Amino acid sequence: MEGATIKEERKIVVAVDESKESMYALSWCLSNLVSHSSKNTLVLLYVKPPPVYSSYDAAGYMFYSDAVVALKKYGTDMVNSVMERTDAIIRNYGTNINVERITGSGDAKDVICSTVGKLEADTLVMGSHGYGFFKRALLGSVSDYCAKNVKCPVVIVKHPEDK
Amino acid sequence: MEGATIKEERKIVVAVDESKESMYALSWCLSNLVSHSSKNTLVLLYVKPPPVYSSYDAAGYMFYSDAVVALKKYGTDMVNSVMERTDAIIRNYGTNINVERITGSGDAKDVICSTVGKLEADTLVMGSHGYGFFKRALLGSVSDYCAKNVKCPVVIVKHPEDK
């Protein structure tokens, strides 16, 4: 037979962040990719940006410990906020899918690609931020990079408002 | 509610050509995207390259009519061959999905994007050829272009042997 084999258990990674685009991508995934007849594991991957300063840097960049604590708390609050939004979306679909949550730290595109590889994921789903020319040139495109560098199928989902 | 609405009827365009990558993308689509509980229409889109020479070109490029006929027949044979392979794959999945076949002509990336737009497709599925650096630089990447330019979610499927 020509083609792919049907796999009963699938691991789908959805890269989530605080953007509406990534929440829409999660919804799309639940509506279109998650099958009720197969066993699926949904892995929600949130990547925190790498810490630029630390309290152990050279004296010129040393932070007061209060500021370090505040920054860490902000990061944790952000993760919790994003994961709570994902929980609400998953509940809304009424599916009893197995959900895992992973928080990484570093350059989003590198962390996403390495996590997908380590997990041997079957599919990666990402929101496309639909940046304009200048922002794309400046920031690069995480979804472009991942589409080229991960081994599994990649779904790039645009938010209807970005069309 | 945050997220996408659940749509009962979906139109999924799969860009097919003579490559094993596109046949694998079709199989992936049937295994992962086509739901038995929803009404789906699968649109198989084959794009023939534009004719470079025609019998009406300047004298230096004029073809004998036999050669023109042979080229046209080759193009038709290729379309039939690709569509027969897709039929075999779809039969293998035993699904009674509604299938439409469209043959376009021109630059693949432009024809794919314009067809997806005209059909108001819900998803575009494409195989990724996994070209190396030089071939990619020379030919460009149809999937990259389409991922940036179509409005609907795009799935880029790599063949396992290209990994």
Side-chain angles (χ1 to χ4, degrees):
Chain A
M1 173 221 156
E2 184 171 45
T5 51
I6 300 174
K7 200 173 166 185
E8 280 306 307
E9 288 192 34
R10 293 182 304 175
K11 194 170 274 184
I12 303 167
V13 174
V14 183
V16 292
D17 58 24
E18 50 278 12
S19 71
K20 69 179 190 303
E21 286 84 359
S22 76
M23 295 299 142
Y24 186 80
L26 172 61
S27 300
W28 185 91
C29 174
L30 289 161
S31 300
N32 293 273
L33 262 187
V34 171
S35 162
H36 292 273
S37 57
S38 302
K39 196 179 168 194
N40 298 280
T41 297
L42 196 64
V43 181
L44 303 174
L45 172 61
Y46 179 86
V47 185
K48 289 193 283 191
V52 180
Y53 303 108
S54 92
S55 54
Y56 304 105
D57 271 351
Y61 297 100
M62 194 174 284
F63 262 40
Y64 289 106
S65 61
D66 283 357
V68 175
V69 170
L71 273 177
K72 279 187 181 166
K73 187 180 176 308
Y74 175 77
T76 309
D77 288 349
M78 186 63 87
V79 177
N80 292 340
S81 159
V82 169
M83 290 302 181
E84 276 170 23
R85 287 168 69 195
T86 62
D87 287 346
I89 291 172
I90 293 167
R91 265 199 311 275
N92 189 69
Y93 279 87
T95 176
N96 57 356
I97 188 173
N98 184 30
V99 181
E100 291 176 11
R101 292 167 186 80
I102 297 177
T103 304
S105 175
D107 187 340
K109 61 186 189 300
D110 295 329
V111 176
I112 292 168
C113 290
S114 68
T115 305
V116 166
K118 277 180 205 155
L119 294 173
E120 297 183 350
D122 295 288
T123 310
L124 168 64
V125 180
M126 310 184 69
S128 168
H129 286 245
Y131 294 141
F133 175 77
F134 287 107
K135 203 163 178 183
R136 183 183 284 273
L138 204 67
L139 295 176
S141 166
V142 177
S143 55
D144 279 8
Y145 182 90
C146 294
K148 283 191 186 68
N149 289 282
V150 303
K151 292 175 179 175
C152 66
V154 177
V155 189
I156 300 171
V157 185
K158 286 187 186 170
H159 193 281
E161 287 170 18
D162 292 331
K163 287 175 183 178
Chain B
M1 173 218 156
E2 185 170 44
T5 51
I6 299 174
K7 201 174 166 184
E8 281 305 308
E9 288 192 34
R10 292 182 305 175
K11 195 171 274 185
I12 303 167
V13 174
V14 183
V16 293
D17 58 24
E18 51 277 14
S19 71
K20 68 180 191 304
E21 286 83 359
S22 77
M23 294 299 142
Y24 186 80
L26 172 61
S27 300
W28 185 91
C29 174
L30 289 162
S31 300
N32 293 273
L33 262 188
V34 171
S35 163
H36 292 273
S37 57
S38 302
K39 195 179 169 193
N40 299 279
T41 297
L42 196 63
V43 181
L44 304 175
L45 172 61
Y46 179 86
V47 185
K48 290 193 282 191
V52 180
Y53 303 108
S54 92
S55 55
Y56 304 104
D57 271 351
Y61 297 100
M62 195 172 282
F63 262 41
Y64 289 105
S65 60
D66 282 357
V68 173
V69 170
L71 272 178
K72 278 187 181 166
K73 185 179 177 309
Y74 175 77
T76 309
D77 288 349
M78 186 63 87
V79 176
N80 291 341
S81 159
V82 169
M83 290 304 181
E84 275 170 23
R85 287 167 70 194
T86 62
D87 286 346
I89 291 172
I90 294 167
R91 265 198 311 275
N92 189 68
Y93 279 87
T95 176
N96 58 355
I97 188 173
N98 184 28
V99 180
E100 291 176 11
R101 290 165 189 82
I102 297 177
T103 304
S105 175
D107 187 341
K109 59 185 191 301
D110 294 329
V111 176
I112 292 168
C113 289
S114 67
T115 306
V116 165
K118 276 180 206 155
L119 294 174
E120 296 183 352
D122 296 288
T123 309
L124 167 64
V125 180
M126 309 185 69
S128 167
H129 286 244
Y131 294 141
F133 175 77
F134 287 106
K135 203 162 178 185
R136 183 183 285 273
L138 204 67
L139 295 177
S141 167
V142 176
S143 55
D144 279 8
Y145 182 89
C146 293
K148 283 191 187 68
N149 289 283
V150 302
K151 293 175 179 176
C152 66
V154 177
V155 189
I156 300 170
V157 184
K158 286 186 188 171
H159 194 279
E161 287 170 18
D162 293 332
K163 287 175 182 175

